[in-house]
């Protein structure tokens, strides 16, 4: 950290973070199509030219917001899936943590869901990989429960999509700071998940 | 229908329908902010000036699409709620019909959800009324079931939002024409709803 090049790297990384934060603000306020690079630059206290120097087109920034969001969601649900050997506790924990994450990150969640079609086909394909990974983790958790004889699930694919819907749809209506906390939502959704998988143990 | 004024009314109504259909196409393809009145006019085979003659700003058309969509969803869920006196059958039917409606109308559903913030504050308030009506119908159905002793629900408000999420979130991923039909989704969601409300009868 004492060399000039390390300092430059730090400065460049923090500029990138400032740009991403400004892009989140701008997209949340005006939508992707309603936002210009100039808007993002101005929110970040930079000139439009400086934004281009950072190779940051509007779509690059949307992709980075989306990629980070999905990566973090995959990590959360993967971590939750490793926390218990008991299949029912595992599914409950996965749904709890996935819902808590969406409540805490509801603003980024809305951008990521609502502006998915604004990504380039290549970027959409990359984000779709994360989504498939999340769906696969949930489906595997249900299959393990059925296999162990502690869940009754007629359609594991459809039921895992439904479990994920509980968490994902809350970005539509949840705004932090109200009387319902992320913990409240996590606890309720965990309870509902146990019922949805027909837990018999 | 034989007078000139009736013919004019018919022609004007069908022009309005053509504009609305063109707006759905345009918003689904480019998003609300990425669509111009000129795009809509061109898809409808009209001049931009003719669009203004029909008092159709882009936002008017979005509001009309949203209003009709919500009105139809309210009618569907209200009709379903009247179909049985049995509280559990009632909730199952409401979830089935609400999911089927969202599967069949997934394209309009996406526009309506994703572009909600593009409406004027007055129009948003009007749409919010429909949403509150839908939530109230579901909550009342759960309360009736708890009252009758045939459901176990710890949080009727949170559980009714979760039941609605199953249907609403499917517009994000459901595209008609695949191997999963609207009937398949309706049946699965109805089954999950019975479990979620802790039906004891």
């Amino acid at each position: 950290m004492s060399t000039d090049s390390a300092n430059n790297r730090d400065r460049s990384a923090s500029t990138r973070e400032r740009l991403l934060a400004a892009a989140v603000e701008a997209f949340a306020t005006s939508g992707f199509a309603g936002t210009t690079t100039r808007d993002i630059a101005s929110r970040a206290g930079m000139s439009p030219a400086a934004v281009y120097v950072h190779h940051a087109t509007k779509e690059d920034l949307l992709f980075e917001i989306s990629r980070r969001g999905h990566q973090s969601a995959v990590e959360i649900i993967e971590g939750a899936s490793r926390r218990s050997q008991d299949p029912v506790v595992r599914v409950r924990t996965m749904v709890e943590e996935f819902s808590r994450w969406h409540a805490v990150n509801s603003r980024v969640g809305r951008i990521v869901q609502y502006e998915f079609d604004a990504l380039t086909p290549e970027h959409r394909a990359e984000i779709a990989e994360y989504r498939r990974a999340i769906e696969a983790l949930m489906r595997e958790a249900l299959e393990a429960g059925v296999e162990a004889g502690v869940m009754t699930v007629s359609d594991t694919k459809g039921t895992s999509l439904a479990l994920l819907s509980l968490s994902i749809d809350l970005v539509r209506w949840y705004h932090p700071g109200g009387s319902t906390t992320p913990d409240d939502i996590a606890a309720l959704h965990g309870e509902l998940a146990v019922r949805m998988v027909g837990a018999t143990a």
Side-chain angles (χ1 to χ4, degrees), chain A residues 55-76:
Chain A
H55 307 286
T57 67
K58 216 173 55 152
E59 197 274 340
D60 282 332
L61 291 168
L62 177 63
F63 174 59
E64 181 70 4
I65 292 164
S66 187
R67 201 190 54 73
R68 288 187 184 193
H70 279 85
Q71 192 166 40
S72 157
V74 169
E75 282 163 13
I76 286 294

Side-chain angles (χ1 to χ4, degrees), chain A residues 117-188:
Chain A
D117 286 342
L119 295 172
T120 63
E122 294 71 27
H123 284 163
R124 269 209 298 278
E126 202 169 327
I127 297 300
E129 289 288 333
Y130 287 105
R131 295 187 173 189
R132 270 194 291 276
I134 290 169
E135 286 164 25
L137 283 165
M138 190 59 85
R139 206 162 53 244
E140 282 158 25
L142 297 198
E143 281 161 3
V146 170
E147 178 100 354
V150 294
M151 293 180 193
T152 316
V153 179
S154 61
D155 171 355
T156 49
K157 189 182 168 203
T159 304
S160 45
L161 286 173
L163 288 168
L164 297 172
S165 284
L166 292 190
S167 305
I168 294 169
D169 184 56
L170 68 84
V171 306
R172 187 175 54 82
W173 53 266
Y174 186 75
H175 296 271
S179 61
T180 308
T181 67
D183 283 351
D184 294 336
I185 294 183
L188 174 66

Side-chain angles (χ1 to χ4, degrees), chain A residues 36-94:
Chain A
T36 61
T37 311
R38 185 174 290 273
D39 296 332
I40 298 171
S42 137
R43 283 177 191 268
M46 295 164 66
S47 71
V51 176
Y52 284 112
V53 168
H54 283 271
H55 307 286
T57 67
K58 216 173 55 152
E59 197 274 340
D60 282 332
L61 291 168
L62 177 63
F63 174 59
E64 181 70 4
I65 292 164
S66 187
R67 201 190 54 73
R68 288 187 184 193
H70 279 85
Q71 192 166 40
S72 157
V74 169
E75 282 163 13
I76 286 294
I77 206 163
E78 201 165 35
S81 78
R82 280 195 303 262
R83 225 175 298 159
S84 174
Q85 288 302 307
D86 178 322
V88 176
V89 176
R90 185 190 297 146
V91 167
R92 179 201 280 258
T93 310
M94 289 168 79

Side-chain angles (χ1 to χ4, degrees), chain A residues 70 102 108-117 131 168 171:
Chain A
H70 279 85
H102 279 86
V108 163
R110 271 193 299 280
I111 295 170
V112 163
Q113 302 299 353
Y114 295 1
E115 307 293 2
F116 181 70
D117 286 342
R131 295 187 173 189
I168 294 169
V171 306

